[in-house]
Amino acid sequence: MNLKKIGSILFHRTALVALFLLFQIGLLMVTIVRFSDYFIPIYLFCATVSLFVVLYIINKKGDPGYKIAWIIPIMLAPVFGGLVYLLCGASGLSKRDQKKMESMDRHLIEALDRDKKSGAVADFGWDAVNQSRYLEEYAHCPLYTNTYTRYFPLGDAAFEPILEELRKAERYIFLEYFIITPGKFWNAILEILEEKVAQGVDVRLIYDDVGCLYTLPKNFDKEMEAKGIKCRVFNRFVPVLSVRLNNRDHRKFCIVDGHTAFTGGINLADEYINQKVRFGHWKDSAILLKGEAAWSMTVMFLTMWEYTSGTTEDFDSYRPHSLPIEAQQGASHWVQPYTDSPLDGEPVGATVYLNLISKAKRYVYIMTPYLIVSDSVNTALCSAAKSGVDIRIMTPHIPDKKTVFELTRAHYPALLEAGVRIFEYTPGFLHSKSFAVDDLYATVGSVNLDYRSMFLHFEDGVWLCGDPTVLEVKKDFLDTLEECQEITLEEAQDHSFFRLLLRSVLRVFAPLM
């Protein structure tokens, strides 16, 4: 390894961040030693703080598993536990950010069509009406028709269509992604973006700073601005122990002129289109919307743009002037894009999944990279399986994070005992986040079956009702089963005592991972 490479590693911002965090921890330890003569009053003070923190956690609204995962370490280490929770575990915003978030929500509600359309899906039953009504009332996301949808079972399949739609842009291109990595995928997109900027197209980009911590240089946003691409960084990472680190922008949007939009699990990096091998073959999915429903996703982007830039947008000026001809194919289908904020106290992504599971009559087919389920989701899956619903879950066989993979497998036994069938995708890593239910409903988006995704991140998805794409999501699941290994209860339990013990401990602290 040459000196230049060593220097790039030592002075990379991740290394500097790690050093600064270690410095903070060291400073805390030195302070404690320095004031060791006052140990008893300091201990009593910290223990009192921890007691009040525990009482606060118990009484606050939230998932029980997340509460337990914090209460145990706080009680075991009362000197640090309560303070660490106040720094890193509590959810909340400064007053300034609260006002920005309230403005964000208000503009989203004002901009989207608030006509109540949920009754329009009554032909599919009251379960469909109730699901749609929930998204209208609590996520403020309307139901649409006149929207063509196309499902992509692999990132590879979505690559060229994304480039094709970007080339058609006449007014604006909006991109919002968790991860961007220079390579074939991003470079091809960037080339088009630069061409469109030269043509006078309004090009904007939002990326999450933690998601891109290892993939982009610190001043990447400045580089984009120099090219004429308006760029904002979500929740810029600051090397200070802070609650702000919890909330990330995990959404994936590619929007063209307000009438065409992509979302799903795909980030803008080469592994997502299998141009780079990281964990075997990368199985991902995406969905294209062309028509009325794409406007809803446009508003979601614009509200996040307001939040990250501190500006106010005239949403009406971005409304599409016309709809693509393909939109007519969706005249009898129903599409409802939705977004989920971790700061409004409403777990939209988790509730959509729970409704799909609990209302299913015949089957629920799930693809997820992580199976770190809350008690409520675990109970819903087990209850549905015991009632005779065919519940099948597909997870990766080759993990991207070994500890998280152990945690995923820790959830297998209870589900298998209840009759849930679990399959692992043997060629590599499965990153798709999709549900197919009863040939009637499906959802495709960015929401994983884990705590962080369902409770701590900004996420998005698309709920489909009576749309032919539902059958495409189902077909993808059944086709992929041919490349999977089914996990039996005996296999899930056939491990050493220490591995099973590790998994039990990991399950307790799952919400913090």
Side-chain angles (χ1 to χ4, degrees), residues 188-204:
I189 289 177
L190 181 58
E191 182 179 349
I192 296 173
L193 299 184
E194 291 180 300
E195 292 174 359
K196 289 301 174 179
V197 167
Q199 296 170 11
V201 173
D202 182 4
V203 179
R204 305 187 188 189

Side-chain angles (χ1 to χ4, degrees), residues 121 124 128 143-151 287-291 293 326-337 363 435-444 462-475:
V121 292
F124 298 97
L143 178 70
Y144 295 91
T145 185
N146 296 318
T147 302
Y148 163 79
T149 61
R150 179 183 174 188
Y151 177 74
I287 188 169
L288 163 66
L289 309 184
K290 300 189 79 169
E326 297 95 329
Q328 298 176 9
Q329 300 177 34
S332 60
H333 313 144
W334 297 100
V335 181
Q336 198 161 6
Y363 74 83
F435 275 53
V437 180
D438 292 350
D439 291 356
L440 291 176
Y441 317 116
T443 184
V444 180
V462 178
W463 180 68
L464 305 169
C465 178
D467 191 297
T469 297
V470 171
L471 298 181
E472 291 300 313
V473 179
K474 174 188 178 183
K475 181 177 183 300

Side-chain angles (χ1 to χ4, degrees), residues 149-356:
T149 61
R150 179 183 174 188
Y151 177 74
F152 300 97
L154 283 174
D156 318 34
F159 178 41
E160 286 299 334
I162 288 174
L163 300 183
E164 180 183 347
E165 295 301 333
L166 289 173
R167 292 189 187 102
K168 296 178 184 177
E170 297 178 351
R171 298 173 57 207
Y172 58 83
I173 293 173
F174 296 156
L175 301 175
E176 182 179 340
Y177 283 90
F178 182 61
I179 296 173
I180 299 173
T181 305
K184 180 177 179 179
F185 195 2
W186 170 245
N187 293 346
I189 289 177
L190 181 58
E191 182 179 349
I192 296 173
L193 299 184
E194 291 180 300
E195 292 174 359
K196 289 301 174 179
V197 167
Q199 296 170 11
V201 173
D202 182 4
V203 179
R204 305 187 188 189
L205 171 66
I206 300 173
Y207 65 90
D208 186 272
D209 203 34
V210 167
C212 299
L213 194 63
Y214 297 96
T215 64
L216 295 180
K218 181 179 180 181
N219 296 320
F220 181 77
D221 55 327
K222 302 295 191 301
E223 294 178 16
M224 294 298 101
E225 292 282 351
K227 296 177 182 292
I229 298 169
K230 301 172 185 175
C231 188
R232 299 293 180 270
V233 184
F234 179 85
N235 204 357
R236 196 181 289 276
F237 184 78
V238 179
V240 176
L241 297 175
S242 169
V243 63
R244 287 172 55 84
L245 301 181
N246 269 334
N247 304 131
R248 310 311 319 172
D249 183 1
H250 195 245
R251 307 194 304 188
K252 288 91 176 170
F253 285 143
C254 175
I255 300 164
V256 176
D257 292 344
H259 55 58
T260 299
F262 293 86
T263 192
I266 299 172
N267 284 297
L268 305 183
D270 283 356
E271 58 267 32
Y272 292 86
I273 58 171
N274 286 293
Q275 292 297 309
K276 176 181 179 181
V277 178
R278 292 192 64 197
F279 311 106
H281 185 265
W282 195 288
K283 171 74 175 79
D284 217 324
S285 60
I287 188 169
L288 163 66
L289 309 184
K290 300 189 79 169
E292 291 181 358
W295 169 242
S296 189
M297 295 164 75
T298 306
V299 171
M300 294 174 197
F301 175 90
L302 287 170
T303 54
M304 184 62 79
W305 185 266
E306 287 189 331
Y307 179 75
T308 55
S309 64
T311 60
T312 301
E313 299 288 339
D314 177 12
F315 288 6
D316 283 339
S317 66
Y318 295 96
R319 287 187 180 275
H321 294 156
S322 60
L323 298 180
I325 189 68
E326 297 95 329
Q328 298 176 9
Q329 300 177 34
S332 60
H333 313 144
W334 297 100
V335 181
Q336 198 161 6
Y338 57 91
T339 185
D340 190 2
S341 166
L343 305 174
D344 60 4
E346 185 60 42
V348 175
T351 303
V352 169
Y353 285 172
L354 280 169
N355 286 343
L356 289 170

